């Protein structure tokens, strides 16, 4: 089954993040009951892959001021049928930043979030089941702003809170802080 690798990752994530049980169970139920969960044509919602991109030292993260959502976010996008969500996150990181050379920092999923995407250009409001991974930029950190962004910026962990009040973004800051402190 093409969904099994993601379901396996979700099971591991559930063991390490019992405090997120409700979100994890919604994710698992969605993936188990929707064979087409990786397709953006599934109008109720679909899987997306995102990258929490850190610099070599892990002190800064690369954020995008997303053009369509008009908010500072991690980079990422639609799976478009690809069940390898880490590969999706890597592809989106490269496409949206112009950076080459990333390494996965953590094994498996770093964070999960389910959030609504507003109606736009005839596409009804729907949910993004966002699977997030930590990627370290291993090459140049000189980014290129793509058409999907108003801007990109390397920011310190403290600066993230000055750019957004999004709970999932602030949660990732705290998760990353505990990871690098541990």
């Amino acid at each position: 089954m093409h969904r099994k690798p993601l379901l396996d990752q979700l099971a591991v994530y559930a063991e390490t993040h019992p405090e997120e049980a409700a979100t994890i169970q919604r994710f698992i139920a969605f993936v188990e009951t929707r064979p087409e969960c990786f397709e953006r044509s599934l109008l109720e919602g679909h899987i997306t892959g995102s990258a929490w991109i850190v610099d070599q030292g892990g002190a800064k993260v690369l954020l995008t001021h997303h053009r369509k959502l008009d908010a500072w976010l991690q980079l990422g996008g639609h799976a478009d049928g690809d069940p390898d969500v880490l590969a999706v996150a890597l592809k989106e990181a490269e496409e949206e930043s112009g950076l080459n050379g990333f390494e996965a920092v953590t094994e498996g999923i770093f964070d999960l979030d389910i959030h609504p995407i507003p109606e736009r250009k005839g596409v009804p409001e729907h949910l993004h089941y966002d699977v997030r991974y930590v990627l370290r930029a291993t090459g140049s950190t000189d980014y290129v702003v793509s058409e999907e962004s108003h801007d990109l910026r390397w920011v310190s962990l403290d600066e993230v809170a000055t750019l957004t009040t999004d709970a999932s973004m602030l949660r990732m800051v705290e998760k990353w802080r505990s990871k690098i402190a541990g």
Side-chain angles (χ1 to χ4, degrees):
M1 171 170 57
H2 69 291
R3 293 168 286 160
K4 186 173 181 343
L6 178 56
L7 288 168
D8 289 346
Q9 287 183 51
L10 290 168
V12 170
Y13 188 80
E15 291 174 13
T16 56
H17 295 283
E19 72 282 3
E20 297 179 39
T23 298
I24 296 164
Q25 286 308 311
R26 281 183 65 198
F27 244 95
I28 290 170
F30 177 73
V31 174
E32 285 179 339
T33 60
R34 303 297 191 283
E36 69 279 28
C37 63
F38 299 105
E39 301 290 343
R40 91 168 71 189
S41 59
L42 181 59
L43 293 181
E44 70 185 80
H46 33 263
I47 299 294
T48 56
S50 290
W52 182 253
I53 301 172
V54 298
D55 66 0
Q56 273 296 26
K60 291 188 176 185
V61 296
L62 184 62
L63 300 181
T64 176
H65 190 253
H66 196 276
R67 186 174 297 279
K68 292 178 185 173
L69 298 175
D70 195 28
W72 285 98
L73 303 168
Q74 76 286 346
L75 286 72
H78 292 95
D80 287 330
D82 188 346
D84 184 345
V85 188
L86 174 57
V88 171
L90 283 161
K91 177 182 71 89
E92 292 291 333
E94 290 176 355
E95 288 178 0
E96 292 183 8
S97 71
L99 299 178
N100 292 305
F102 291 101
E103 65 181 3
V105 174
T106 57
E107 287 191 35
I109 297 168
F110 173 63
D111 189 63
L112 293 173
D113 195 60
I114 304 169
H115 52 267
I117 300 298
E119 182 277 329
R120 187 170 189 277
K121 294 188 177 181
V123 176
E125 180 175 309
H126 58 281
L127 295 175
H128 276 182
Y129 290 78
D130 198 29
V131 183
R132 298 159 172 185
Y133 299 90
V134 178
L135 303 179
R136 183 181 317 276
T138 58
S140 170
T141 56
D142 296 334
Y143 55 78
V144 176
V145 178
S146 76
E147 291 180 9
E148 295 188 36
S149 303
H150 288 296
D151 195 8
L152 291 174
R153 188 183 307 169
W154 285 103
V155 299
S156 71
L157 296 177
D158 290 337
E159 285 178 281
V160 174
T162 68
L163 297 175
T164 182
T165 57
D166 180 83
S168 75
M169 294 291 292
L170 301 177
R171 183 179 63 239
M172 287 190 291
V173 166
E174 291 312 310
K175 281 183 176 179
W176 183 243
R177 275 195 173 118
S178 69
K179 187 83 173 161
I180 59 178

